[in-house]
């Protein structure tokens, strides 16, 4: 039987060692390395070539999402499962968009953990019901944004031509969403959001977010 080679990346020593102890009890899996942050995880992947990574989100030096992106770019087939808590649901969309193979709640019991690792190792998307529910809520909000996007005719009357995506971003700007929340709502990165916002500012002839909001509201755009 070929063992599932696991890398655990978490900045909390107790979490790393606790997971390692549990996983190493199984005959069909082995923890080949542990990492204390995202950058360390990248280096350990090169050294130990695991099959699957259990990746914490909030870590110093480099967080789990950024580490996931870099590892997936070099190793697209690498299975990476995010270790998360209820308080970190803002990362759900970003994690999935970045190629995460699932999420595991840190407080899950022994049997759930082992079963989930086996399932993830063979390509099953691991999505606990509580996270699936949060994802559904985000999708519902996303659909609401699309339904209430900026009125194209009103823009054209003022000589402004925004693309469909720019209108979606502009709608969320008016609603007071931060760049991070816009990224989560539209399933894009914060960097991409910043690029869209710069283009919107240019087309509206404004210099900052406050001016953009005032301008759009004056046009009575939803």
């Amino acid at each position: 039987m070929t063992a599932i080679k696991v890398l655990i990346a978490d900045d909390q020593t107790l979490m790393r060692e606790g997971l390692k102890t549990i996983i190493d009890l199984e005959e069909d899996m082995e923890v080949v390395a542990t990492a204390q942050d995202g950058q360390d995880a990248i280096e350990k992947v090169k050294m130990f070539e695991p099959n699957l990574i259990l990746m914490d989100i909030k870590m110093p030096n480099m967080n789990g999402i950024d580490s996931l992106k870099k590892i997936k770019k070099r190793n697209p087939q690498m299975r990476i499962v995010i270790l998360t808590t209820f308080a970190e649901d803002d990362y759900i969309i970003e994690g999935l968009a970045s190629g995460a193979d699932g999420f595991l709640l840190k407080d899950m019991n022994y049997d759930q953990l082992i079963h989930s690792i086996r399932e993830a190792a063979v390509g099953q998307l691991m999505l606990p019901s509580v996270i699936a529910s949060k994802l559904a809520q985000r999708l519902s909000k996303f659909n609401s944004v699309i339904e209430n996007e900026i009125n194209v005719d009103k823009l054209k009357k003022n000589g402004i031509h925004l693309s469909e995506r720019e209108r979606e971003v502009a709608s969320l700007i008016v609603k007071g969403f931060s760049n991070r929340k816009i990224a989560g709502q539209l399933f894009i990165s914060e960097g991409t959001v910043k690029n869209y916002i710069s283009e919107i500012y240019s087309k509206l002839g404004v210099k900052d977010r406050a001016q953009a909001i005032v301008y759009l509201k004056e046009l009575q755009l939803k």
Side-chain angles (χ1 to χ4, degrees):
M1 180 183 297
T2 302
I4 302 169
K5 297 189 293 183
V6 180
L7 167 65
I8 301 170
D10 196 298
D11 63 324
Q12 297 181 2
T13 302
L14 287 178
M15 178 61 70
R16 290 198 308 270
E17 296 305 315
L19 288 172
K20 183 178 187 304
T21 298
I22 292 171
I23 293 170
D24 281 342
L25 291 173
E26 300 299 312
E27 294 183 357
D28 62 338
M29 56 187 72
E30 171 192 9
V31 176
V32 294
T34 61
Q36 60 188 359
D37 59 53
Q39 184 58 49
D40 190 23
I42 292 173
E43 298 303 321
K44 295 291 176 61
V45 166
K46 298 176 185 176
M47 295 170 61
F48 297 95
E49 300 182 343
N51 307 122
L52 181 144
I53 302 171
L54 297 180
M55 182 81 77
D56 187 24
I57 292 177
K58 295 181 179 179
M59 296 184 287
N61 301 321
M62 182 184 292
N63 65 46
I65 300 296
D66 289 340
S67 181
L68 181 154
K69 292 176 181 177
K70 291 181 180 295
I71 293 172
K72 281 286 189 176
K73 185 175 182 179
R74 298 175 182 175
N75 306 274
Q77 303 307 313
M78 180 69 67
R79 303 292 182 191
I80 304 180
V81 178
I82 298 294
L83 295 172
T84 185
T85 66
F86 290 106
E88 296 170 338
D89 59 280
D90 283 346
Y91 295 94
I92 295 173
I93 299 297
E94 187 175 4
L96 288 173
S98 300
D101 296 286
F103 293 80
L104 295 181
L105 295 174
K106 287 188 174 183
D107 64 351
M108 68 167 36
N109 64 43
Y110 172 89
D111 291 334
Q112 289 175 320
L113 171 66
I114 297 303
H115 174 73
S116 296
I117 290 175
R118 291 192 179 113
E119 292 292 291
V122 296
Q124 294 295 317
L125 177 65
M126 304 313 302
L127 209 60
S129 59
V130 64
I131 291 180
S133 175
K134 290 180 181 293
L135 177 59
Q137 292 174 13
R138 290 296 184 89
L139 289 172
S140 177
K141 290 180 180 178
F142 174 72
N143 289 336
S144 177
V145 169
I146 298 302
E147 292 171 0
N148 295 289
E149 67 177 23
I150 287 175
N151 187 295
V152 179
D153 291 334
K154 290 181 180 179
L155 285 171
K156 289 182 177 180
K157 287 180 181 179
N158 287 272
I160 301 169
H161 302 278
L162 299 183
S163 68
E164 180 178 351
R165 181 61 96 186
E166 287 168 350
R167 294 197 304 274
E168 292 167 4
V169 172
S171 295
L172 294 176
I173 290 175
V174 173
K175 291 176 182 290
F177 280 49
S178 66
N179 287 1
R180 179 179 171 184
K181 287 190 174 182
I182 292 174
Q185 200 80 353
L186 300 180
F187 314 118
I188 55 180
S189 70
E190 284 190 60
T192 301
V193 171
K194 289 179 181 178
N195 291 336
Y196 279 124
I197 290 176
S198 293
E199 190 65 24
I200 291 169
Y201 289 175
S202 176
K203 290 181 177 181
L204 296 181
V206 300
K207 296 182 178 180
D208 57 38
R209 205 182 204 90
Q211 290 180 339
I213 292 174
V214 170
Y215 192 104
L216 292 170
K217 284 186 174 181
E218 285 180 348
L219 293 176
Q220 297 182 337
L221 301 178
K222 296 182 180 179

